[in-house]
């Protein structure tokens, strides 16, 4: 008999907002993804990257994504008196005859929805053209928007804005700018954004999928992006704020992921760049939209230890700049508008503080003979807490939880935390593991010392031997993660934060799999793992309850109490191929006889969601009644079930 006796005794409080999100610009998650910009290489600064460990190079390719169309127009790049010095290249376009124009690759082409508006903007100037600039979207010679006109260009750079309205729905269309007569015009920072973008910034369907998760926090901007494959390639938050056109374009660390000699150390993503249109200010805005606490991560003077030996010495002047970046970020997020960085936040449009409370120090660094990460953390901690003692810092236990580096990290952290109360709030642990590891380690945190907390900052189950990357996000992975999370929830007194990684993958632009949400130019869907995350983030109370489970193989459970709603929340995972009956004993409770059932079910371990079947595996809710203080319920095979039982 499978049964769970549920006590009214509280095992441990649950950290509010315990389950959150991890965002990294991988798999075209930012440009081409959540950031709603529809054009590629909008300011003519892209680079093509190649290389391998400690050997990376870039070739400037400022015309990538742009080409002539509708005639014999000529495209050239120039840097004479640029619109700005940060991104100095601009397009010098010459029309040989009326109607000559140019177009943009736009990832998979422009996608329009009938009746919706799209905001287009660009900077332009001319000394040899007196006609009109014409802008529209077309496919196979047919216009799919009205043709907007801009006239009266001058010899000085000026920003022009217009709106295009879609006359019909279309995919793989072309964004076109043409001139009404022969002549030359300089263009820079050409942008096209859907008017319905959330906060004017975020692709709506992707943002709404995040909103449904009700995340408690958002960790950003990565991940290995924080470190870069070289220190010059690292994420510099100060370059990601201020005017869009003055944010320095950066090649992506993921453009050279898994390069091979036979391919010239290049990948299909060699033009993956970061425009930083989704920068630190936008990340904070996203946190506000989601109702999530911001958790930015700082570079500690190290490039990605997996890909590089680059570092600055911890006793150098250069290292102090990394520490100062952290102090200045706190001021940007929380400082009064009279401060330097608080004033910049206000100038961006947000005079109110963002309420930053947590900060990650390093991504997934570890100590070696050449890398003194422990000392670097100590220097950051001392400087930050001297000025901002209220900021909670997140440390690192390295890239996994089964190595000498992981053991060394904890052997350093625990004694240091004993000596200094505010030394670390939680330690970031990462694990990308086979499903079996998750099933076998639901008790992983049962015997952890309780004096230092854990941030399960990157985790995911990786099914083995599946060549098709989209099929790796199957039900087996989701069930394994759900089982692991029962142990994490039961140990909420030591694991205070948890988030799956990575978050997004654009189909056809993917470097890493599995991922939580997949999308193309039109569609987006949550994987089974997405719905597991939702079941935990939405259906976890404030207190974990003491229970006495007697469950057979393949069954896992966690039980919490939501005092605000007056409901016992029971999570039951059945990873087996047969339905199981589970009896819930609520003898200590006063029950109303009402419960809500939320189920996530599949027909097999290999089943997945897809563009064609986005809701094949999704959370489905029903309401039920029962009598007395016992619930006898059938748990379907290959399922995650949440029961919200009204009880006091």
């Amino acid at each position: 008999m499978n049964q769970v006796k549920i006590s009214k005794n509280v095992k441990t409080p649950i950290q509010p907002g315990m389950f959150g999100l991890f965002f990294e610009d991988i798999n075209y998650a930012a440009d081409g993804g959540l950031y709603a910009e529809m054009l590629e290489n909008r300011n003519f600064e892209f680079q093509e990257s190649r290389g391998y460990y400690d050997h990376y190079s870039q070739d400037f390719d400022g015309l990538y994504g742009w080409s002539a169309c509708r005639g014999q127009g000529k495209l050239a790049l120039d840097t004479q008196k640029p619109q700005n010095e940060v991104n100095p290249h601009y397009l010098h376009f010459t029309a040989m005859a009326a109607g000559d124009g140019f177009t943009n690759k736009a990832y998979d082409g422009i996608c329009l929805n009938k009746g919706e508006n799209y905001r287009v903007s660009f900077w332009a100037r001319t000394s040899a053209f007196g006609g009109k600039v014409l802008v529209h979207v077309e496919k196979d010679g047919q216009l799919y928007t009205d043709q907007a006109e801009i006239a009266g260009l001058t010899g000085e750079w000026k920003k022009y804005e217009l709106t295009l309205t879609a006359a019909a729905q279309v995919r793989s269309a072309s964004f076109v700018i043409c001139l009404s007569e022969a002549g030359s015009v300089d263009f820079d920072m050409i942008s096209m954004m859907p008017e319905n973008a959330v906060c004017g910034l975020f692709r709506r369907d992707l943002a709404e999928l995040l909103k449904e998760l009700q995340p408690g926090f958002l960790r950003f901007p990565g991940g290995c992006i924080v470190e870069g494959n070289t220190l010059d390639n690292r994420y510099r938050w100060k370059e990601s704020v201020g005017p869009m056109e003055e944010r320095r374009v950066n090649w992506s660390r993921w453009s050279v992921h898994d390069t091979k000699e036979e391919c010239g150390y290049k990948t299909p993503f060699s033009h993956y760049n970061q425009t930083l249109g989704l920068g630190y200010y936008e990340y904070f805005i996203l946190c506000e939209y989601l109702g999530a606490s911001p958790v930015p991560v700082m570079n500690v003077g190290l490039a990605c230890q997996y890909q590089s030996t680059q570092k600055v010495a911890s006793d150098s002047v250069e290292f102090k700049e990394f520490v100062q970046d952290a102090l200045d970020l706190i001021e940007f997020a929380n400082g009064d508008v009279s401060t330097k960085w608080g004033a910049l936040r206000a100038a961006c449009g947000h005079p109110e503080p963002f309420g930053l409370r947590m900060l990650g120090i390093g991504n997934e660094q570890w100590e070696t003979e050449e890398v003194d990460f422990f000392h670097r953390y100590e220097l950051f901690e001392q400087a930050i807490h001297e000025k901002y003692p209220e900021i909670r810092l997140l440390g690192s236990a390295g890239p996994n939880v089964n190595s000498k580096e992981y053991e060394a990290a904890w052997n350093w952290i625990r004694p240091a935390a004993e000596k200094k109360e505010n030394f670390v709030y939680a330690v970031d642990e990462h694990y990308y593991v086979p499903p079996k590891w998750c099933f076998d380690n639901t008790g992983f945190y049962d015997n952890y010392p309780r004096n230092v907390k854990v941030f399960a900052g990157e985790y995911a189950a990786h099914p083995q031997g599946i060549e098709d990357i989209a099929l790796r996000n199957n039900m087996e992975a989701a069930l394994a993660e759900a089982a692991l999370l029962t142990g994490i929830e039961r140990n909420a007194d030591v694991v205070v934060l948890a988030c799956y990684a990575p978050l997004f993958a654009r189909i056809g632009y993917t470097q890493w799999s599995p991922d939580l949400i997949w999308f193309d130019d039109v569609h987006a869907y949550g994987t089974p793992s997405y719905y597991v995350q939702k079941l935990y983030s939405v259906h976890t109370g404030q207190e974990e309850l003491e229970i006495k489970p007697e469950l057979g193989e393949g069954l896992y459970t966690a039980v919490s109490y939501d005092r605000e709603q007056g409901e016992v929340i029971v999570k039951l995972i059945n990873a087996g191929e047969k339905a199981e009956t589970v009896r819930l004993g609520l003898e200590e409770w006063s029950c109303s006889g009402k419960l809500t059932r939320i189920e996530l079910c599949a027909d097999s371990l290999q089943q997945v969601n897809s563009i064609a079947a986005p809701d094949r595996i999704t959370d489905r809710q029903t309401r039920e009644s029962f009598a007395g203080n016992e619930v006898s319920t059938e748990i379907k095979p290959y399922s995650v079930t949440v029961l919200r039982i009204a009880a006091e």
Side-chain angles (χ1 to χ4, degrees), residues 378-444:
E378 290 165 354
L379 294 174
F380 268 82
E381 186 275 329
Q382 182 180 358
I384 292 170
H385 282 154
E386 182 176 331
K387 189 171 183 180
Y388 301 107
E390 72 281 6
I391 296 295
R392 293 174 165 180
L393 300 183
L394 304 172
S396 170
N400 52 53
V401 293
N402 52 8
S403 66
K404 293 180 180 179
E405 290 81 12
Y406 159 81
E407 293 176 3
W410 278 109
N411 289 338
W412 157 68
I413 290 167
R414 288 195 173 100
E418 289 286 347
K419 295 176 183 177
K420 190 170 185 180
E421 182 180 0
N422 203 27
F423 183 71
V424 65
Y425 172 60
V427 177
D428 190 2
E429 294 190 345
H430 295 178
Y431 31 92
Y432 298 102
V433 292
K436 186 177 186 304
W437 189 96
C438 297
F439 289 125
D440 292 345
N441 286 274
T442 58
F444 187 73

Side-chain angles (χ1 to χ4, degrees), residues 583-603:
R583 182 178 297 167
L584 305 176
L586 295 146
E587 289 80 9
E588 298 180 21
W589 297 84
S590 174
C591 301
S592 70
K594 303 292 184 183
L595 68 81
T596 301
R597 178 188 297 269
I598 306 100
E599 286 183 326
L600 187 69
C601 305
D603 296 330

Side-chain angles (χ1 to χ4, degrees), residues 535 539 569-571 596-599 640-644:
L535 291 180
H539 302 290
I569 304 173
V570 182
K571 297 184 181 73
T596 301
R597 178 188 297 269
I598 306 100
E599 286 183 326
V640 182
T641 301
V642 176
L643 301 176
R644 299 190 64 115

Side-chain angles (χ1 to χ4, degrees), residues 28 48-51 253-260 263-272 511:
Y28 286 67
E48 184 180 27
S49 301
R50 61 172 55 80
R253 167 256 185 276
W254 293 105
S255 64
V256 291
H257 178 65
D258 200 24
T259 57
K260 294 178 174 62
C263 300
Y265 295 108
K266 286 174 59 176
T267 76
F269 315 107
S270 60
H271 286 93
Y272 192 176
Q511 299 87 54

